[in-house]
Amino acid sequence: MGKSLRVAYGEALAKLGEKNEKVVVFDADLAHATQTCLFQAKYPERHFNMGIAEANMMCAAAGFAHTGFIPFVSTFALFGAGRAFEQIRNSICYTNCNVKFGFSHSGLCVGEDGGSHQSIEDIALMRELPNMTILVPCDPAETEKAVMAAAEIDGPVYIRVARPVCEDITTMDTPFTPGKANVMKEGTDVCLIACGLMIPVALAAAEKLEAEGISTAVVNMHTIKPIDRDIILKMNETCKAIVTVEEHSVIGGLGSAVAEVLAGNAGAKFGMVGIQDKFGKSGKPNELFEAYGLSADNVAATAKGLL
Amino acid sequence: MQYDKKAKELRAEILKMLYACQSGHPGGSLSCVEMLMALYYEVMKIDPKNPADPDRDRLVLSKGHACPALYAVLADLGYFPKEDLADLRQINSHLQGHPDCTKTPGVDMNTGSLGQGASLGMGLALAAKYAKKDYRVYTVLGDGECQEGLVWEAAMAAAHYKLDNLTFLLDHNGLQIDGSNDEVMSLGDVVKKFDAFGFSCIKVDGHDIRAIVEALEAPVSGKPKFICCETVKGKGVSFMEGQFGWHGNPMNKEQFEQALSEQEV
């Protein structure tokens, strides 16, 4: 019945803790905000609160990974990917260290806290790093699957966790393979490629386009890295236009990743919906989505503009 | 072991390595030779034939730019052939410009970005406590490095988690790239600072191996240890000693021959 993805994340960690005793969890005084407290309640001795010191938390986790543990590190996306970027780069990705990042409060959906806390660049930062895998789940079931999949990958994995309550879009039976996108709806005129909280927006946009007789495909690109090149190139051949939709800056995120695949390949016209090189601000998540163009109307209009 | 003779041999290797690659950091490599000797030859539980032993003691060279000193010691102990030293910083060499634990046998942690080694060492020590392992972790810090906030984040966590299996050794040569610590960014009383952060603190002559060993072996319980090793940057080479300009400068032929001749036993 839908729930906040951070709650789904915390519950999944607690489940994973039972399956895999090598899993340990680190938090930076945000265990209740990130919901790692659900793991902590079950396994207090395996949960380390490192205080408000994110850079140190990354290296501490690396120390654990170097001795065979599987640390999951949580904080807000901005303070993880942003403040501790270089610790993630040099102490973790550089040696392909087996650390997982579950950063919550990503994107504009942080809402009222405002631009200082709305991470719109975390995917770009993490995507730059060799060895990194990036997963952006869209609902509770996908969040649980992302956590379980991350534990099976040998190397760093970033799971982008959103804060709001999300309706169920997928089920536990929906396949989830990192690096392999899910086609949620087939179509031949337009292909909308989205991730995370923008999946429902893309599905609503597809409905509007279909109502106008425009056949629209929707791809859930839950893995930003490694990106599913095959599906992008296939849609480039079968559709007349591709539009990416992301709750992130259009510089360096999903749209950029898709553009990098499309570059040099003639085919569909291409557009990006996302945050246009601006910072966020306070407001309710839905108001912000509307204000920044992350709406079904704007996605549909962008697609039509390309046809 | 004849410490003086071994120290000169190691310094000769460091100079040859740095002259060959015409880059790297002589000053801070030469200042920590005795600290590494005390650790590797006297204190640490290690087995060069089994560098990945999960129960080994760990050394984190947080001032990673001093890795020529570490490489000289590791080669001397037989972790890899001494001939490899000639290829320091060359393409296809396992000896990187800064320590890389994925490439060099015996290197326990990748370092070089200042401050991170302090934190990584703390993480290793916390992991040992969690896993109920007996190994100890030794982290060699630079003094300029202590200007990084991350060192103090790590220090706070080390005391909070009562990591008495962790020792920070400070190579306190007083100099950094742009001048003395006091000119660039004063550390104040660094021993008092670590004391205030909850460490058990000892100050020693950083070129006196017996004094360093004694400090390393001094019992401590319930708190991490900090050993302030008073050293001379460029130690053992007359024209480099106490000169911040030799932090990262290459030697010419004449300087190299002079420096090497000073290592003759």
Side-chain angles (χ1 to χ4, degrees):
Chain A
M1 265 317 290
K3 65 174 74 148
S4 166
L5 299 193
R6 58 182 171 149
V7 173
Y9 173 72
E11 290 174 352
L13 274 187
K15 246 189 228 181
L16 177 64
E18 199 176 313
K19 277 173 50 178
N20 191 332
E21 61 183 20
K22 290 201 172 302
V23 171
V24 289
V25 172
F26 291 80
D27 211 309
D29 195 37
L30 288 170
H32 291 269
T34 63
Q35 290 289 309
T36 65
C37 59
L38 298 174
F39 180 94
Q40 184 181 24
K42 222 168 143 189
Y43 305 106
E45 75 289 352
R46 291 161 66 183
H47 184 279
F48 298 89
N49 200 325
M50 301 309 291
I52 308 169
E54 296 79 10
N56 186 52
M57 173 166 67
M58 299 307 165
C59 296
F64 273 70
H66 274 284
T67 55
F69 294 102
I70 306 176
F72 275 70
V73 181
S74 288
T75 178
F76 289 1
L78 190 64
F79 310 131
R83 180 177 302 208
F85 172 79
E86 203 236 324
Q87 282 72 26
I88 294 174
R89 180 197 189 276
N90 269 325
S91 286
I92 294 168
C93 289
Y94 186 55
T95 55
N96 196 28
C97 200
N98 200 20
V99 178
K100 320 300 171 186
F101 311 95
F103 295 156
S104 69
H105 294 62
S106 54
L108 292 177
C109 66
V110 177
E112 290 83 346
D113 278 351
S116 63
H117 282 56
Q118 291 162 352
S119 172
I120 52 171
E121 58 281 271
D122 49 299
I123 292 175
L125 289 165
M126 297 297 96
R127 208 164 70 81
E128 275 299 314
L129 298 172
N131 297 327
M132 184 70 92
T133 297
I134 303 175
L135 307 175
V136 185
C138 69
D139 72 354
E142 210 169 67
T143 303
E144 178 174 336
K145 285 180 268 188
V147 168
M148 300 304 165
E152 298 301 316
I153 293 170
D154 183 21
V157 179
Y158 172 37
I159 306 171
R160 189 185 210 225
V161 182
R163 181 191 186 201
V165 171
C166 295
E167 294 306 318
D168 296 321
I169 301 167
T170 68
T171 71
M172 285 312 290
D173 296 329
T174 310
F176 182 85
T177 308
K180 189 161 176 18
N182 289 349
V183 178
M184 306 192 77
K185 183 182 168 317
E186 298 283 357
T188 52
D189 293 320
V190 169
C191 173
L192 305 177
I193 302 178
C195 63
L197 298 193
M198 293 298 104
I199 295 293
V201 173
L203 289 169
E207 214 168 289
K208 285 174 188 288
L209 291 164
E210 292 281 357
E212 295 183 37
I214 300 167
S215 170
T216 306
V218 177
V219 173
N220 174 4
M221 193 65 80
H222 53 66
T223 307
I224 310 295
K225 190 181 178 185
I227 195 101
D228 186 344
R229 297 177 59 87
D230 294 346
I231 194 73
I232 296 168
L233 293 172
K234 181 175 165 254
M235 291 298 177
N236 188 42
E237 279 181 14
T238 54
C239 295
K240 298 183 188 81
I242 293 176
V243 177
T244 55
V245 194
E246 61 191 311
E247 189 202 0
H248 184 277
S249 172
V250 291
I251 301 173
L254 168 67
S256 296
V258 172
E260 287 158 18
V261 175
L262 291 175
N265 291 291
K269 291 188 173 175
F270 179 64
M272 293 192 278
V273 171
I275 298 153
Q276 303 291 330
D277 199 18
K278 283 179 196 162
F279 287 111
K281 61 181 182 180
S282 289
K284 293 192 168 51
N286 285 343
E287 294 170 340
L288 290 165
F289 286 180
E290 199 64 41
Y292 284 82
L294 309 183
S295 63
D297 282 341
N298 187 42
V299 172
T302 303
K304 274 164 42 184
L306 293 172
L307 292 175
Chain B
M1 178 184 288
Q2 282 183 282
Y3 290 144
D4 290 354
K5 183 167 175 284
K6 181 62 77 181
K8 281 184 189 294
E9 282 172 19
L10 293 169
R11 284 196 166 87
E13 292 294 351
I14 292 167
L15 292 165
K16 283 191 261 180
M17 263 184 265
L18 290 171
Y19 179 63
C21 66
Q22 283 294 297
S23 64
H25 302 84
S29 300
L30 294 167
S31 64
C32 67
V33 168
E34 283 80 10
M35 295 165 66
L36 294 180
M37 287 175 67
L39 286 162
Y40 275 99
Y41 297 115
E42 299 293 344
V43 174
M44 285 170 62
K45 293 187 184 72
I46 46 159
D47 177 5
K49 291 190 181 63
N50 186 12
D53 179 359
D55 295 323
R56 73 193 185 280
D57 285 347
R58 266 83 165 171
L59 184 284
V60 181
L61 185 64
S62 195
K63 47 171 291 181
H65 56 278
C67 57
L70 177 62
Y71 298 157
V73 169
L74 293 177
D76 185 59
L77 286 168
Y79 280 95
F80 50 83
K82 273 192 182 172
E83 301 81 72
D84 294 1
L85 295 175
D87 295 329
L88 170 70
R89 290 176 165 245
Q90 303 304 315
I91 196 156
N92 299 330
S93 169
H94 68 84
L95 298 175
Q96 298 293 294
H98 291 83
D100 187 333
C101 58
T102 66
K103 293 192 168 71
T104 308
V107 169
D108 290 319
M109 192 54 85
N110 54 299
T111 52
S113 174
L114 295 178
Q116 293 192 28
S119 190
L120 288 161
M122 184 279 299
L124 283 171
L126 183 58
K129 287 277 183 194
Y130 170 70
K132 298 188 168 52
K133 295 261 191 185
D134 290 331
Y135 69 79
R136 302 190 59 85
V137 182
Y138 301 94
T139 301
V140 175
L141 296 165
D143 46 15
E145 177 177 24
C146 290
Q147 291 155 2
E148 289 280 2
L150 184 52
V151 171
W152 304 100
E153 288 186 12
M156 204 181 323
H160 177 81
Y161 283 109
K162 301 182 171 56
L163 301 181
D164 51 15
N165 55 347
L166 175 68
T167 301
F168 281 0
L169 297 96
L170 178 68
D171 182 358
H172 197 213
N173 60 40
L175 301 176
Q176 54 192 103
I177 300 179
D178 279 350
S180 70
N181 298 154
D182 284 343
E183 285 166 337
V184 177
M185 182 54 65
S186 175
L187 297 177
D189 190 332
V190 73
V191 177
K192 262 193 190 161
K193 282 193 166 94
F194 274 100
D195 181 65
F197 269 73
F199 281 60
S200 171
C201 298
I202 307 171
K203 199 169 181 170
V204 298
D205 174 349
H207 299 299
D208 181 342
I209 293 175
R210 279 174 193 83
I212 303 168
V213 170
E214 198 177 313
L216 286 167
E217 289 179 341
V220 63
S221 179
K223 45 166 51 179
K225 191 189 284 185
F226 173 72
I227 304 175
C228 182
C229 301
E230 294 296 337
T231 57
V232 175
K233 194 151 183 162
K235 175 73 176 177
V237 176
S238 57
F239 60 90
M240 290 187 187
E241 287 194 2
Q243 301 295 319
F244 71 83
W246 282 102
H247 175 88
N249 273 12
M251 291 165 276
N252 63 30
K253 188 164 185 287
E254 194 184 0
Q255 289 164 330
F256 170 63
E257 283 167 358
Q258 162 80 28
L260 202 59
S261 75
E262 293 179 19
Q263 311 313 318
E264 279 167 18
V265 184

